């Protein structure tokens, strides 16, 4: 028996952070298809993110990417965001787009390149101080393409050394979130390929270091909810980068490829106390061919729907079936929640929050899409490289 | 008992086609690291390809990519190539880098875009007429990212219709080579995802349509040599795009990730008569972080080494062990060839061909690398987008 | 706008064939956990299958496996089935459990073993004549474990020869259904590893030969609904073996691992005309740790639910969004059907068919489970080896 | 410049442990093909293992599996082994073949089953005391097949509790080696699915707990040598279970599927100091269709060849190329060692050890195969279930 009022209350407090870069152009190595109306500045990205929050009510923060979102005055940027109803979220570093990083950044064989990378990370903490961001999110493109190219173990030593220096710089209330990724852009090794590696480093660094689970960064057949459950048990789950994938790191809308998996992940979050604790729920997606703001609204709604289903699981019934070894019964309890159509419930939640029950329709009616196409003419559209 | 003289003779007649685009810059969606000395024009790409042939003796042709290698006078380009000791090879089409192709090309829901794509392919056949190229190589980036985005079956109908029109345009001695790819840049469906789809289309088109096996375009666990054996048995293996991969379509140097697999593929080629028949052996690689010309020389040598080992298999002994059900004995015959160090044999082959026994060292001594860095200054470096 | 009456009518005519062997014991290479009440004879398997049909109304036929279901009098067995409300379905051959088949059956290097295997297949057609079964379902465990162990291409020749002999033996209204499988029990090659291989053989054999898609027999990342769409387009989809998997050929309950994938498959079936045509829908599962009859009831219901959702897709709206290139809109139409809770609709369908709305509960109340535990004491329980 | 004398010396001290169960029958879930001459008792398994050591010189110990190798007097068994030239090695527990373990053992929801499992593990330590074995190797078949079946996190708690009790029981010089496995026989979750989970548990347990890397237990695309390097860096690599695989846990002869991978693994072992430290090198294979003793001899030789190549890597040259960022140069140093034919070197090593240079041929000539076929008649052949 689930308590619907409690479910609704939980859903109303949900917070999904959207990434500034998802509002800009993105693509594959083959082609970036530019879209009309795409932001040209960090402020325009914040405008778009504010739209997503205005229509969903659960996307109150925006992650920045440095240097793509570099500005002279971060306090002013934070103020600009707040005036539009959102706040600045995690600071994401970039140690992969400078020519110096061809063979890595913090793990590079050359100490000068490592110094440059660490300095960039320290600068990101400075920016956190200015923006009031609590989280430094670290993803390293570091790795190798060919066996023998570099020494696997020495790179781990360099990684540990660099992370330690940045960790020391963190202030009170600041965290370091370390992301892992199986492959890409490096193809033979990546220096943080799996949760075990990220966990081992975070454990040595200390309590302010936690692991990020990007749902697209695993080998085929990996049970992601198991990792979520384990990291929560270890107190080391810091954040999610949500997206979905069929094959590799496709960065599609979260829930688009395997909504049942997303539900199972959210169930472990709920079960492990992650929904009410200090786990950050972020999107990290690329809307290469679809309209960006509507896609992000849809993604936020997909997270909501999976969360609602997870909250609806009759945990007492489930525990009973599990304890008695009733395989089919326990599975049925879980599937009963999954098979529920939670869209009416979420419409109610939105109406109780003073929102339109149908965010995509409301956004479409708002005229924002037409407005930005008309107004954002000229200039340099934002993209991964800018 | 293998006939060493015959093995050597076969190795001397081997031909590996190198792709013009591998001499230009390439990268991942995260970053293209530009290299010094990279060609700026089709002619400069041919200069570099001529170096690879000069030092290996077995890379006599160069594949072009349209429009990257568009010129006003293809006959002049062909003549330029021949003066440098190489010939123009397959013409590769590009239906993925125009904004119109966001949702596909030959499979696009809009007939106007399909028309444009087919016209481009027909233009490629015109170019073949001008260059004397025998092969039109078709790889389509077509596909979808989201379930429901387009009608899977209708896209097959459009594909069949477009291919048929191009097939009709082929002249005597011209072939259409159809490549398949599991994923990327489309993530949910690709319109020619596997050899079965390519085979089914080629079968309907006729004898001039054949399948291309790109060694990086398969799902994990796929047995590529089985596909090679099957296509040879069906008379439908047209060409290879060689490269290697650990995870996805990594486009690393052929033989770098799994040299034993490359050997097994080459063994099936030899066994199935593909080595002496009309199968084209092409490289299709991206040298994102390593020096390009040396990487291509190494790749050609890797193909040679795998071929030499395949030719050294004692096929009579193998057949005997197979017929008697001697699992370990048959495997041992194959492994005996694989474990042989064929580098001394290939040094002899090169010396008998009047080449330096050590192509990478000879290339390094030649001064070409320094020359192009010094001379190719300014202008627009060639890359996937140019 | 979907026509609910038509949807209901379609759901009432659905037919899912259950396999006799799923009622017996099964397991992994590590352990077969025997269950109480498991059938000991083909007749007892039919009794259980009749229960599944009695409670679901859509499981009217039962597939047999020879020799596991060998009896002296097949006509009497067919009559026995009909008296219990079900009919005999496809005949499944077994060429993998005799010591002679260690290195293969129809592809074995030894002609005597091949003869034995083909004779078994011919015997299966004799049994079809006796039972009135229309379909001969062929799955071959043939393959190799080690490179070099046998000649890949020669095995294809043997396969083609054996299949041709069996094809000739088929009577009017009889079909040969050829299944493919990526791996297991052979690990290096399987002789029919993918749909392309099965398709190529069926094409040469003729119209009575068609392909079986077992949903657990693909490499990671394979888009199964694409294969379904393609085979329907080619007129070569003969049947499904439904089950689900997380990693390999796990043979779990269909829809248990990825219900969204099952929906997408069923959508392509509906869209391609396969739901009303001559495609056989079969289960092929192993209930290693869960109660068998309830698991099969659940599996049938899972197929129903996916089918109902597929039938609910607003195809006109979908076609419109697809034609206009509205990526998010088209995806939303599909997801709208998927997110619908179709369980109330199926309850109605069942009640209109005179069935209990809740098959698992009705079965649990029926006392059948207790009855077979009490009565089926002693004797040899059915399993894969008996 | 490698020191050949040192390489030879290292190769002479290599020790590969063979598993008693590999000498018995094994198979897949579809069929176990019995072989003639297979051992019927632990002593006969030791006889066969002694043959492998006699001909290779580097297989001095034999792992036992309890209860398959249960005897009344372990001291006598140890003495029997030593009289034949081998010693007893690791004790492997079995918590998967009792009917009680249908839903798990040490992670089972029922405390009574957990008690039984832990008691079995404690008994295994008793046996270690009797045999003088240093290592308790733990692989758990525990897991679930269906989402919801059991509580992922609670199972981790139970696992931790059970392991802690066993850890406490370990005596001086005794270790607990914890193996991980992605899937099989459980399909949805396994309770120790990856190295991270095994590592996290071992870390909490203490220095006597270490991780086992079974080379067949990873998701597709996993970089195993990275895991090896990382575990060595953490001081947590306890042992290898060597075998090879194309798709899943195929348990083929080590080096048969990807000899280059095996070389890369052995290179990381050498580089990380694992070759001279306390890492146990064990085989864990199933010779389903090939002759068992010759297959094990071949496997030992494959490990030797990969080790020899790893030892031949010119580490100074490699370090130089790596430090200077010479991608192709560093790769070439590694490949130079890999491409070397080390079989002549190993023949020399064997001759210097007083062995025949060609172990398979010497074994074939020895008459042992014929002798066991003639003598081991009647009785119950050893297999996974006995």
């Amino acid at each position: 028996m689930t308590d619907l009022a409690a479910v609704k209350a939980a859903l109303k407090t949900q917070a999904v952070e959207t990434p500034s870069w998802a509002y800009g152009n993105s693509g594959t190595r083959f082609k970036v298809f530019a879209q009309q109306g795409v932001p040209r500045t960090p402020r325009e990205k914040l405008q778009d993110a504010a739209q997503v929050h205005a229509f969903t009510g659960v996307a109150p923060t925006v992650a920045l990417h440095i240097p793509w979102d570099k500005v002279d005055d971060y306090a002013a940027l934070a103020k600009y965001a707040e005036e539009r109803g959102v706040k600045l979220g995690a600071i994401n570093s970039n140690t992969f787009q400078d020519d110096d990083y061809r063979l890595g950044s913090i793990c590079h064989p050359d100490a000068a390149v490592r110094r440059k990378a660490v300095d960039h990370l320290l600068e990101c903490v400075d920016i956190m101080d200015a923006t009031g961001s609590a989280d430094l999110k670290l993803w390293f493109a570091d790795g190798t393409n060919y066996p023998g190219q570099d020494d696997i173990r020495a790179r781990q030593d360099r990684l540990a050394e660099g992370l330690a220096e940045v960790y020391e710089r963190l202030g009170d209330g600041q965290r370091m979130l370390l992301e892992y990724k199986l492959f890409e852009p490096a193809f033979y090794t990546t220096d943080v390929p799996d949760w075990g590696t990220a966990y081992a480093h975070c454990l040595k660094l200390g309590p302010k270091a936690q692991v990020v689970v990007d749902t697209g960064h695993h080998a085929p057949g990996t049970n992601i909810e198991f990792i979520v459950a384990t990291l929560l048990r270890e107190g080391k789950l810091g954040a999610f980068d949500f997206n979905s994938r069929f094959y590799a790191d496709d960065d599609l809308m979260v829930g688009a490829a395997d909504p049942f998996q997303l539900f199972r992940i959210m169930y472990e979050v709920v079960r492990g106390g992650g929904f009410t604790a200090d786990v950050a729920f972020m999107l990290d997606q690329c809307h290469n061919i679809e309209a960006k703001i509507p896609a992000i609204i849809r993604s936020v709604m997909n997270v909501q729907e999976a969360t609602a289903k997870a909250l609806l699981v009759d945990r007492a019934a489930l525990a009973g079936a599990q304890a008695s070894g009733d395989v089919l019964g326990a599975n049925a309890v879980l599937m009963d929640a999954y098979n529920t159509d939670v869209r009416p419930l979420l419409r109610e939640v939105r109406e109780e929050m003073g929102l339109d029950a149908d965010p995509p329709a409301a956004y479409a009616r708002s005229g924002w899409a037409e407005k930005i196409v008309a107004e954002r003419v000229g200039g340099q559209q934002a993209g991964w490289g800018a």
Side-chain angles (χ1 to χ4, degrees), chain A residues 182-264:
Chain A
L182 177 71
F183 88 105
E184 197 213 19
F187 297 130
Y188 169 55
T189 59
T190 58
D191 290 307
V192 192
D194 52 23
W195 79 264
T197 305
Y199 166 80
H201 281 285
C202 287
L203 207 62
K204 290 195 180 63
L205 289 166
K208 290 179 182 173
Q210 294 200 290
V211 178
V212 181
V213 174
D214 182 304
T215 48
H217 288 188
H218 304 85
T222 302
N223 185 322
I224 299 175
E225 58 268 30
F226 181 92
I227 296 172
V228 169
T230 297
L231 286 172
L232 280 168
R233 185 173 176 272
E234 300 280 339
K236 278 294 183 193
L237 180 62
F240 281 99
D241 264 10
F242 280 128
N243 51 60
S244 73
R245 54 81 75 98
F246 288 97
Y247 307 102
D249 187 32
D250 304 344
D251 280 332
L252 301 174
M253 297 189 297
V254 58
D258 188 347
F260 183 46
Q261 182 190 58
L262 181 61
F263 161 74
R264 300 193 312 261

Side-chain angles (χ1 to χ4, degrees), chain A residues 342-381:
Chain A
V342 295
R343 293 174 300 172
L345 175 71
L346 282 161
R347 279 186 214 111
E348 281 180 41
V349 166
R350 286 185 199 110
E351 284 170 349
E352 293 173 13
M353 292 171 77
L355 300 168
D356 193 291
D358 185 346
Y363 172 74
R365 282 194 309 271
S366 75
W368 183 261
E370 293 75 14
K371 177 181 155 74
I372 56 179
V373 167
E375 294 183 358
R376 294 177 184 168
V377 174
Q380 172 76 35
Q381 289 192 321

Side-chain angles (χ1 to χ4, degrees), chain A residues 225-226 228-230 232-233 237 240 263-277 281 306-307 309-316 318-319 322 334:
Chain A
E225 58 268 30
F226 181 92
V228 169
T230 297
L232 280 168
R233 185 173 176 272
L237 180 62
F240 281 99
F263 161 74
R264 300 193 312 261
I265 290 171
M266 289 311 302
Y267 174 71
E268 290 305 326
V269 169
V270 169
R271 186 265 177 257
F275 189 59
T276 51
F281 299 88
T307 306
K309 292 181 179 192
L311 290 165
L312 286 176
V313 172
D314 185 336
R315 292 182 56 187
L318 183 63
Q322 290 172 341
L334 200 79

